[in-house]
Amino acid sequence: MGSQSISSSISSVATVLWCAGLLLVGLFPTAITGITIKGHDRDREALLAIKSQINHNPLGVTSSGNDSVALCQWKGITCEHRHQRITKLELSQQRLGGALSPYVGNLSFPRFINLQDNNFYGVIPPEIGRLSGLESLILKNNSFGGTIPVNLTHCSNLIQFIASRNNHVGNIPAELGNLLKLEKLHIGYNNLTRQLPPSLGNVSTLQEIFLTVNNLQGGLLDAPLGLLKRLVLLQLDINNFSGLIPPSFYNISSLEVLTLGDNQLHRSLPLNLGTNLPNYKNLLYQLILLVGIYKSHYPMLQTFDGNALTGRIPTSVGNLSLLNVIGLEDNLLEGSIPVGFEKCQNLMMMTLNSNRLTGPVPKEICNIETLSVYLDLSNNLLTGSFPLEVGNLKTLVQLDISGNKFSGQIPPTLSSCTSLETLYLGKNHFYGSIPACLSSLRSIAELDLSNNNLSGQIPVYLEKLSFLIYLNLSHNHFEGQVPTKGVFSNATAIALTGNDRLCGGIAELNLPICHFNEPKK
């Protein structure tokens, strides 16, 4: 009986307490949710402070930020549902200008901040380091200056830091090596200096490193980036790196893009290059080994200068069957062009110019039907006749084989290359007349046949090529009358010097008057 009485009393007390609890929640809800409300107000204050520093707002993006509109309905704001705390600040491409307020560090729980493609200036506030839950910080294409704040390394959950195309100076903080979840580090197109911190080799999660166009220097052997076995993209071009290219770079099996051009690096390419990349079939776009000068006709392709590569081109490059671009120009490569490139049946562009390559051109190169943008073999020591298979390159836009020792006649199969816009055959040993096959090149704009042993008359059909704006026939053995229409009517667009038996044409060329069938004295 006593036991039942005690149990009943406890039950009654519990019921009273439960009811009292309900009453308290009903009368004083802030007593339970006060922390949430405090965080909510803190976010509002931080956003108002950020807004106050924006002095250029042509699209009226921040006009929604006022007391008449709920915080989570402000433009560019995303809140988590339960506590209405800001998780995402998305203000990219809004033409905003001004400084980024230090109050950004007072946001209570942001995971994603994107201010890309605006005109924010000043420094990246070190207060961002308070945002321990931040996963993405995207500041690309602004005018941020100063150094990269060391406090950023307190954002221990950071997955991507993208701040390319700004005005950052100083070194890359060694403390970035403490961001053990970092996958993307994009800080190219700045004014960063000094060496790469070796600590980056500790961030095993890194997949993309983009440091193009800075003033970084020193050797790459000291920064063990070859240890990063998840790297997909490694772009270090257009800096001041020197010394050897780490052999470990060629063993990163996940790599899809590697650009090292316009530095002071040197070494020979490993002969087992393609073999050392067991996952080469995952190459989705391009592997630029060392890239030289791409022609300005193709602005979508970046402009890089080469390094001092020596040795031979490894035949194993042909194993990289999904390559789109092979750029090895402006180096010290020697030996013959290897057979094996024909396996690269996705290749659009090949530039091997300005090296010391010798021997004939393998006909297999001309069987790569996808080779459509540019084939540049100029300024080497290549010999023999140019392969007749060149006619298979029906979609090729530019062909430059000038500055070699090619001989024989101009390949008549060029008639099939109807997409050609520029054709440079100058400074070789071609002989014979200008073949009729060139009349099929209806898109040709620039034609250089200079400094050969060509002879005969200049064919009239050249003046009918309506897109031809530059023609160089100088230093050959042409004779007879010069046509007068098309490109021949513009003295600044045509070069005929060094052909002593030509006559007529436009007066500005100072050619003698033509005399045919003169009576014998």
Side-chain angles (χ1 to χ4, degrees):
M1 187 72 182
S3 140
Q4 291 180 352
S5 176
I6 293 171
S7 176
S8 176
S9 299
I10 292 174
S11 177
S12 299
V13 171
T15 301
V16 170
L17 290 174
W18 180 73
C19 292
L22 289 178
L23 181 61
L24 284 171
V25 171
L27 291 176
F28 307 106
T30 56
I32 304 299
T33 61
I35 296 174
T36 301
I37 289 176
K38 182 178 179 181
H40 190 78
D41 289 342
R42 180 181 175 185
D43 284 352
R44 179 185 291 275
E45 291 174 1
L47 285 178
L48 289 173
I50 293 171
K51 176 183 175 181
S52 70
Q53 295 295 309
I54 295 174
N55 54 31
H56 187 69
N57 181 26
L59 303 181
V61 178
T62 62
S63 60
S64 61
N66 56 63
D67 291 334
S68 64
V69 180
L71 174 66
C72 295
Q73 294 179 2
W74 292 10
K75 186 170 182 178
I77 301 301
T78 300
C79 297
E80 53 90 23
H81 181 69
R82 184 177 180 185
H83 298 302
Q84 297 293 287
R85 306 275 283 278
I86 293 175
T87 58
K88 185 175 182 179
L89 179 60
E90 169 60 83
L91 293 175
S92 63
Q93 298 180 329
Q94 300 299 323
R95 297 167 60 185
L96 298 172
L100 181 57
S101 171
Y103 277 82
V104 67
N106 284 5
L107 292 172
S108 55
F109 199 59
R111 294 191 181 94
F112 183 92
I113 295 177
N114 186 359
L115 304 180
Q116 175 177 321
D117 298 323
N118 285 292
N119 193 29
F120 285 100
Y121 52 78
V123 300
I124 300 175
E127 288 80 2
I128 282 183
R130 300 174 186 168
L131 307 179
S132 59
L134 190 63
E135 297 175 0
S136 294
L137 179 60
I138 304 174
L139 307 176
K140 177 183 176 182
N141 199 19
N142 279 281
S143 298
F144 286 111
T147 59
I148 296 173
V150 175
N151 286 6
L152 189 65
T153 59
H154 297 317
C155 303
S156 56
N157 288 292
L158 199 63
I159 295 174
Q160 56 178 344
F161 175 49
I162 299 177
S164 300
R165 297 188 183 275
N166 280 286
N167 300 314
H168 294 303
V169 297
N171 63 309
I172 299 174
E175 290 81 359
L176 291 182
N178 297 326
L179 296 174
L180 299 182
K181 295 183 179 180
L182 193 64
E183 296 178 3
K184 295 182 180 181
L185 176 62
H186 289 207
I187 45 179
Y189 289 87
N190 281 289
N191 296 305
L192 299 172
T193 56
R194 302 182 189 174
Q195 296 182 324
L196 285 181
S199 59
L200 288 181
N202 300 331
V203 189
S204 60
T205 53
L206 273 170
Q207 298 177 19
E208 297 182 9
I209 298 178
F210 177 66
L211 303 178
T212 294
V213 189
N214 277 290
N215 292 305
L216 297 167
Q217 56 191 328
L220 295 177
L221 293 173
D222 298 327
L225 302 182
L227 299 176
L228 303 175
K229 299 306 181 184
R230 299 183 186 180
L231 270 184
V232 174
L233 179 145
L234 178 58
Q235 295 192 247
L236 306 177
D237 47 282
I238 314 182
N239 279 284
N240 294 312
F241 293 119
S242 59
L244 295 175
I245 300 171
S248 58
F249 281 10
Y250 302 120
N251 293 326
I252 305 175
S253 60
S254 56
L255 207 56
E256 294 177 7
V257 177
L258 170 62
T259 60
L260 304 172
D262 199 1
N263 283 287
Q264 300 171 39
L265 300 166
H266 60 88
R267 69 159 289 133
S268 58
L269 288 171
L271 295 179
N272 58 350
L273 174 62
T275 309
N276 276 8
L277 297 174
N279 293 329
Y280 62 84
K281 289 185 178 180
N282 292 329
L283 291 167
L284 299 178
Y285 178 51
Q286 62 182 340
L287 171 62
I288 303 177
L289 302 175
L290 286 162
V291 189
I293 301 174
Y294 287 158
K295 299 299 181 184
S296 59
H297 297 72
Y298 296 96
M300 76 288 292
L301 297 173
Q302 294 176 337
T303 301
F304 306 144
D305 290 324
N307 294 287
L309 270 184
T310 59
R312 304 173 70 91
I313 300 174
T315 57
S316 55
V317 171
N319 294 337
L320 304 173
S321 60
L322 296 187
L323 284 180
N324 289 144
V325 175
I326 293 178
L328 295 172
E329 66 266 37
D330 294 298
N331 284 290
L332 301 173
L333 296 169
E334 57 189 9
S336 60
I337 298 175
V339 175
F341 284 131
E342 72 278 3
K343 299 176 187 176
C344 303
Q345 287 299 320
N346 292 284
L347 201 62
M348 297 173 61
M349 180 172 175
M350 178 187 291
T351 53
L352 305 179
N353 53 291
S354 302
N355 281 286
R356 298 172 180 174
L357 300 174
T358 56
V361 174
K363 64 182 181 180
E364 289 81 3
I365 286 181
C366 298
N367 290 327
I368 306 173
E369 295 183 0
T370 57
L371 202 57
S372 57
V373 177
Y374 198 20
L375 175 59
D376 191 346
L377 306 177
S378 63
N379 298 315
N380 280 288
L381 302 170
L382 299 169
T383 56
S385 300
F386 199 77
L388 293 175
E389 286 77 6
V390 68
N392 294 329
L393 304 178
K394 294 180 173 60
T395 59
L396 188 65
V397 174
Q398 295 194 51
L399 174 62
D400 189 350
I401 59 172
S402 61
N404 282 286
K405 298 182 178 181
F406 291 118
S407 58
Q409 296 187 330
I410 295 174
T413 50
L414 281 170
S415 60
S416 298
C417 303
T418 54
S419 295
L420 275 177
E421 295 178 8
T422 60
L423 176 59
Y424 298 105
L425 307 180
K427 298 181 181 178
N428 280 291
H429 303 304
F430 289 114
Y431 59 81
S433 60
I434 298 178
C437 68
L438 299 187
S439 64
S440 300
L441 306 183
R442 298 298 183 182
S443 300
I444 197 74
E446 299 180 17
L447 178 61
D448 186 350
L449 305 178
S450 64
N451 293 279
N452 279 288
N453 294 312
L454 299 170
S455 58
Q457 293 190 336
I458 297 175
V460 176
Y461 72 74
L462 289 177
E463 70 179 15
K464 298 179 181 179
L465 297 176
S466 57
F467 291 101
L468 190 60
I469 59 174
Y470 170 74
L471 176 64
N472 190 347
L473 302 179
S474 62
H475 300 290
N476 279 285
H477 307 293
F478 294 117
E479 60 185 52
Q481 188 167 8
V482 177
T484 58
K485 298 178 182 178
V487 69
F488 296 97
S489 65
N490 184 355
T492 62
I494 186 169
L496 297 174
T497 57
N499 292 279
D500 296 335
R501 302 182 66 183
L502 286 175
C503 63
I506 55 178
E508 291 89 338
L509 295 177
N510 296 317
L511 295 174
I513 298 174
C514 295
H515 297 284
F516 299 105
N517 300 319
E518 292 183 345
K520 295 182 179 179
K521 295 182 179 179

